[in-house]
Amino acid sequence: MSLSQKEIETLINLHLEKADSFLSQADEMCNLNHWDLATNRYYYACFHIIHALFVANGIVAHTHDGLVSLFGKEFVQKGKVDKELGRFMSRMEQLRKLADYNCVASVSAEEVAELKEPAHKLFTQIKTILNK
């Protein structure tokens, strides 16, 4: 089933809203020193903003690894998104797995501190691309 242009635009906007909401939640979790929760929310903010980009370009990712891989292949390697943000997404996915699944270790305050700026930058850069 293919989507109409209006449905595509609606889906893009829903992903943008979710990404924006998750960025705010991540920042709030940082203020409360909840590092694993902040990591999760930063990751999913990036996940949703990238999904918005994918929807706009007719790209489908079926897994988290696929999302990161396709993002790198279709946008970073082609120079549409900064290379540093491609590396950031790979690191972000690793930290999200640590935060969500590892019972022995947690994400540190220092690691989370390194996520905030690039997560916001990724959001801003992709939103700019989508508005063109």
Side-chain angles (χ1 to χ4, degrees):
M1 177 173 91
S2 63
L3 300 175
S4 70
Q5 187 59 38
K6 183 166 178 53
E7 290 169 326
I8 290 170
E9 290 169 8
T10 298
L11 188 54
I12 290 167
N13 286 328
L14 290 170
H15 279 296
L16 288 170
E17 289 172 12
K18 186 71 82 167
D20 188 47
S21 173
F22 284 178
L23 272 178
S24 295
Q25 290 173 20
D27 292 343
E28 290 173 22
M29 291 302 101
C30 284
N31 293 336
L32 295 171
N33 299 332
H34 294 303
W35 311 124
D36 286 342
L37 290 172
T39 300
N40 175 282
R41 295 294 84 182
Y42 281 130
Y43 173 81
Y44 279 104
C46 296
F47 173 91
H48 282 286
I49 194 69
I50 290 171
H51 261 289
L53 185 62
F54 282 12
V55 170
N57 288 275
I59 299 170
V60 177
H62 298 286
T63 65
H64 291 272
D65 289 336
L67 177 114
V68 174
S69 177
L70 283 170
F71 177 65
K73 180 181 172 188
E74 296 296 327
F75 297 96
V76 176
Q77 290 177 6
K78 293 180 179 178
K80 298 175 183 176
V81 173
D82 292 344
K83 287 186 185 210
E84 70 187 59
L85 295 176
R87 288 188 293 276
F88 162 72
M89 272 311 295
S90 294
R91 177 72 174 137
M92 182 79 259
E93 184 183 20
Q94 293 170 349
L95 288 174
R96 194 266 314 171
K97 287 177 182 176
L98 173 66
D100 287 352
Y101 301 118
N102 194 318
C103 295
V104 178
S106 292
V107 179
S108 69
E110 294 78 21
E111 288 169 316
V112 174
E114 295 174 6
L115 303 178
K116 185 174 185 174
E117 182 183 339
H120 283 271
K121 184 175 180 180
L122 180 70
F123 179 84
T124 301
Q125 194 167 109
I126 290 177
K127 200 167 175 187
T128 299
I129 292 168
L130 290 170
N131 287 329
K132 287 184 180 179

